[in-house]
Amino acid sequence: MSTVAALTQADVQAVVATCAPGQHLLPVAGGTKPGLSSSSRDDVTRVDVSALRGILAYDPAELTLTARAGTPIAELQAALSEHGQYLPFDPPFAAAGATLGGVTAAGASGPGAWRYGGVRDFVLGVRLVDGAGRLIYAGGKVVKNAAGFDVPKLMVGSIGRLGIMLELSLKVFPRAPETVTLTCELGDTEAAAEAALALMRSPIHLDALDIAAGGRLLARVAGRSGEVEARAERLAGVLPGPPVRLRGDDERELWRQVWSSVTETDADTLVRATSSLPGAAGLVAALAATAEASVHYTLGATAAWIRWPRAAPIDRLDALLAQRGLAGMVLIGSPERPLIGHQGGGVFAERIARAIDPDSRFLEL
Amino acid sequence: MGERLLTGPAQLAVFASDGLTAFSERPLAVALPESTEEVAAIVRACHRAGVPFVPRGSGTSLSGGSVPVPGGVVIACNRLNRVLRVDPLTRTAVVQPGVINLAVSAAAAAHGLQYAPDPSSQSVCTIGGNVAFNSGGAHCLKHGMTSNHVLAIRAILPDGELVELGSAQGSAGPDWVGMFCGSEGLFGIAVEITLRLVPVPEAVCTALAGYDSLQAAGEAVARILREGLLPVAVEIMDAVAIEAAEASVKPGYPECAALLIVELEGEREAVQADRLVLESLLARSGASDVRITEDPAERALIWKGRKGAFSSVGWLAPDYIVQDGVVPRTKLGYALAEIDRMSAQAGIRIANVFHAGDGNLHPLILYDGAQAGATDRAHQLAGEILRLCIALGGSITGEHGVGLEKRDFLPLMFSEDDIAFMRRIRHAVDPDELSNRGKMLAMS
C-alpha cells in the first residue's frame, strides 16, 4: 500500500484517470477508521484527501452547510455551535479527527442520531470523482430536492468504493439548549432492553438511548430549560429502578467516557452492526458463546458496536451476523473485508457499482 | 391474468393521464397483478418482448410520472394493497406498494404509532408511488421525506430479477435503499417496503397568523427558524389560495393577504414551552390575526383547507399547473415578489401555497386551456419560475419529482457529465429503458 496526497480537486481527478489497470484506489482523510481506509495489498494506493478541507458555505439562517470532504467534523461542529446549531447525526470519532467524507463513507452516526436520524437523513448533495476521473455533482444544496437519482444517499456507507467524495452539502438543525441524562444499572442486556422498550412506549421523545455492556441503560432528553426536567421526571417514573440524573459537565463527561471506551481500541476489532431491541440480548449471548466480545448498543439498539478480539477469526462474527440477517462494517481491524454479515443489494448493487467504476479503479465493495 | 389484463379502449382511457393532466397517452394494455410473483412474471414478459412498462399506483403524480408510454404496458399495483406486518417493538411496518399512505397510519394507530410523510394526496396516493418519487408533505420539515422513512425494499428489477435492499434494522454498507427511493420507477418496481413508524405525538398545537403581505409572512418564518424552534410544519397560503379554500372547504381562515400555518408537536411539556416562544414571536411579527388551537377538530379543518388547496383552485379556474420549485429559505421573500411580478407581467393569475419552512414553493398557475395559446403561456411562465429557483441556488423539484414535466429543466441543475452519469447508472440497471421510459431522463 502506498499513499498519494491530493492537494486539489484536479489532483484527485488525475490520480483516478491515470490509475493503471489492475491497480486500485482507496480514499483516506482522518484515518480514524483504519478498517475502511487502509489495506495490506500492494495493488492498492491510498488517495489522501485531507488537504481538501474547509467550509464552503454556511448560512445559519438557511440551516444548511457545504464543506469539502476532508474537513474535520470538529471544525464543522465549532462553526455550527457559534450559532446554536449542530450536526444531528452526532458523528463518532469527531474528537479523534474524523472528517465529513469519512463519516459519510462509513455511514456512522453517534448516539444523538436517535432523535432526528443518521447521516443518511441529513446529506443533501455531493461532488465526487467517478471511476473515470470525471467530476460529478448530484443532489442539491437546499433542504428539499427530488431532482435526479439520490446519489448523495448512495455515498452514505459507500466506504470510498463508489467514487471519491470532494464536497458535501448537509442539512443542520438548531441544538436544544438543555439536556438531561438518566442512567440505570440493570444487570444485563435483557433487563436493560426491557427498560428501553418501556421508555420507547412512553410518549417522551429521547435524544439518545444506549445500552452499554453489562446492562447499563443511558437515556437522554433534550429541550428547553424547565420542561426538559419535567420530561426527565416522567421518564424516571417508567424505569424499573431509581436512575442517576446527570446534567452539564458531568453529563458530557459521562457520554465522552462511554463512547471513548466504545471507539478507542488498539487491541480489538471494532465492528458497527445493525441490530434490533428485541434481538439485543440474544446477540450478546451468541457473541459471548463465541468469543470474548463486548457490545455497546446505541440508537435504541438499532446499532450494535461490537468489540471483537483480534485473535478471534472475523469469519465467525461474519457468520453469526449473517445468520441473524444483520450487516456489519469493520471500522477498526483487518481491512481486507470491511463489509460482513448479511449484505443486501444483489445485482442492483453490482450493476450500479460497475456503472460508476467500470474499470474497477476503486477497491471492490 | 384474464380480466385483470385490461385492453378495452374505455378501460385504457382511465389510465391515460395522472395528476398532471397536460400529458396523456393511451397504453397498449393495463395489468392488475395481485402478487409479487405476478409482478415479476409481467416484468419478465415485458423484458423478453422488449415492451416498455410503466408502474402505477393511484396516478396522483404531479410531474407526469405515471403517464403511459406509447406501445407500453401499465402495471397498476393497486391490488397489492396489504399491510403485511406492523411491529410495535421495532416500530416498523411492512407493506405492499398499493397500500394507501393513510392506511399505514391507520394500521399502526392501535400501537400509538403513525407513518410520518404526509403528501397532500395521502388519502389516495400509494406507498409505491411515494417511494418512487420520494414524496414529501407539509410535515417533512421535522420528519423528512419518504426516503427518510424507508428501511428496506424488495424490488423487481427491469429484467424481472428480485433484489433485497436494506433491512428492517438499517444497513452497514452503501445505502441502496436510499438510491432506489426517488428513482421515479427507472429501477423497476418495489413490491415490499419496510417503513419506519414514529410515535403519535402526545400534544399538537397549530397556530394561524394572518399578514398583509407574503413578505411579512416570510419574515415571520425566518424569525421562527432563527429562534431555534423546530416546528413540524410551517406553511404559507396567499390570498388567492385562501379564496379557493374558502370557496370549497371553508376552513374559516383569517382574512389576510398571506396566511402562516405553524404546527408544533411533541410531549405536553415541550409543546407548551415552544408554544410560549411561538406566541410571543407571532405577537411581535406584525400579524393582524393570530389564532392558536390544540383542538383536533379545528386542526383537521385547517389542514383540510391547506391540503385541499390544489383541488380547491379548480373553483377559480378550469385548469392549473402546480409548480414544485425550491429556493433557499432566506431567498423566499425575494422569490415570492419575483413570482408576483412575473404573474402580473404575463397577466396570468397565480395562487401560492407552499412549505415555507423548507423553501418549497407550490405556485399554482391558473389558466383556461380552452383559450387559444393559454396552455403554452402557462407552461412558459412555469418554466420561468423554475429558472428563477435555479438562479437563486435552489431546485426544480422539492417533492413531486422530474417525471415528464421537468426533464427538460434537468440541465439547469446538472451538467452534461452529471446527467450522463445518471444515464450510465440507469442503463446499467435497465439497458433497454423498459421501466418508466422517458421519465426523469429523456429516452436516449
Side-chain angles (χ1 to χ4, degrees), chain B residues 203-264:
Chain B
V204 184
C205 158
T206 313
L208 293 180
Y211 294 87
D212 58 11
S213 72
L214 281 173
Q215 283 73 7
E219 178 49 35
V221 174
R223 283 193 195 191
I224 288 169
L225 297 176
R226 269 204 304 272
E227 198 69 38
L229 284 171
L230 192 57
V232 68
V234 177
E235 303 280 307
I236 292 179
M237 296 173 74
D238 74 0
V240 186
I242 295 167
E243 179 191 337
E246 293 298 341
S248 54
V249 175
K250 300 184 177 52
Y253 292 145
E255 268 182 47
C256 56
L259 175 70
L260 175 65
I261 307 174
V262 184
E263 191 155 283
L264 304 169

Side-chain angles (χ1 to χ4, degrees), chain B residues 4-244:
Chain B
R4 290 189 287 111
L5 186 71
L6 313 179
T7 51
Q11 290 173 314
L12 299 181
V14 182
F15 293 87
S17 287
D18 57 19
L20 181 67
T21 51
F23 295 95
S24 171
E25 185 69 55
R26 186 161 297 187
L28 194 65
V30 175
L32 302 170
E34 287 183 345
S35 67
T36 296
E37 293 71 29
E38 284 187 354
V39 175
I42 297 163
V43 170
R44 273 197 302 271
C46 287
H47 183 249
R48 267 197 308 273
V51 172
F53 61 89
V54 174
R56 191 183 199 268
S58 299
T60 54
S61 171
L62 293 168
S63 58
S66 51
V67 173
V69 173
V73 172
V74 168
I75 303 176
C77 296
N78 310 71
R79 296 191 180 194
L80 294 160
N81 61 355
R82 283 182 300 144
V83 175
L84 300 172
R85 284 190 291 285
V86 173
D87 181 357
L89 297 187
T90 55
R91 290 181 179 173
T92 55
V94 182
V95 307
Q96 293 186 311
V99 168
I100 304 293
N101 174 298
L102 268 182
V104 181
S105 291
H111 305 289
L113 299 171
Q114 64 179 11
Y115 176 62
D118 66 331
S120 291
S121 55
Q122 69 186 133
S123 60
V124 287
C125 65
T126 64
I127 295 297
N130 291 176
V131 168
F133 283 82
N134 191 16
S135 306
H139 291 72
C140 287
L141 182 59
K142 185 169 176 180
H143 289 300
M145 315 270 287
T146 299
S147 70
N148 302 114
H149 299 265
V150 178
L151 295 165
I153 292 175
R154 294 183 84 196
I156 308 282
L157 297 183
D159 60 359
E161 183 145 357
L162 180 78
V163 289
E164 312 255 353
L165 313 177
S167 79
Q169 290 82 38
S171 62
D175 191 353
W176 304 112
V177 173
M179 184 65 174
F180 194 95
C181 287
S183 59
E184 305 200 359
L186 270 56
F187 294 151
I189 303 181
V191 287
E192 212 175 281
I193 302 134
T194 304
L195 301 170
R196 180 200 315 273
L197 303 171
V198 299
V200 174
E202 184 182 35
V204 184
C205 158
T206 313
L208 293 180
Y211 294 87
D212 58 11
S213 72
L214 281 173
Q215 283 73 7
E219 178 49 35
V221 174
R223 283 193 195 191
I224 288 169
L225 297 176
R226 269 204 304 272
E227 198 69 38
L229 284 171
L230 192 57
V232 68
V234 177
E235 303 280 307
I236 292 179
M237 296 173 74
D238 74 0
V240 186
I242 295 167
E243 179 191 337

Side-chain angles (χ1 to χ4, degrees), chain A residues 62 120-121 130 134 137 143-146 149 153 156-157 200 203 205 224 231 234 275 343 345 349 351, chain B residues 91 147-148 159 164 172-176 202 267 269 274 328-330 355 358 360 395 397 399 418 424:
Chain A
E62 259 336 309
R120 82 180 291 265
D121 300 302
D130 76 358
R134 297 183 199 93
Y137 189 83
V143 293
K144 225 169 163 188
N145 168 41
F149 294 134
K153 273 205 181 58
V156 177
M200 281 174 59
H205 291 286
R224 289 179 190 278
R231 286 192 292 138
R234 281 170 72 187
S275 61
Q343 293 286 338
R351 290 171 189 175
Chain B
R91 290 181 179 173
S147 70
N148 302 114
D159 60 359
E164 312 255 353
D175 191 353
W176 304 112
E202 184 182 35
E267 306 92 306
E269 300 88 348
D274 282 351
R329 314 181 224 231
T330 48
H355 308 307
D358 39 34
N360 189 185
S395 168
T397 174
E399 54 185 6
D418 302 340
R424 280 194 295 278

Side-chain angles (χ1 to χ4, degrees), chain A residues 195-261:
Chain A
L197 268 180
L199 290 180
M200 281 174 59
R201 284 198 199 99
S202 87
I204 309 295
H205 291 286
L206 297 171
D207 189 57
L209 178 58
D210 281 22
I211 299 172
R216 183 188 201 187
L217 187 76
L218 297 100
R220 188 168 70 203
V221 279
R224 289 179 190 278
S225 174
E227 60 92 9
V228 76
E229 294 82 355
R231 286 192 292 138
E233 202 52 47
R234 281 170 72 187
L235 270 186
V238 179
L239 290 170
V244 175
R245 283 180 186 71
L246 290 169
R247 310 196 54 168
D249 289 343
D250 292 344
E251 184 190 21
R252 271 188 294 280
E253 180 56 18
L254 169 76
W255 284 97
R256 196 197 59 74
Q257 266 180 18
V258 166
W259 271 81
S260 54
S261 76

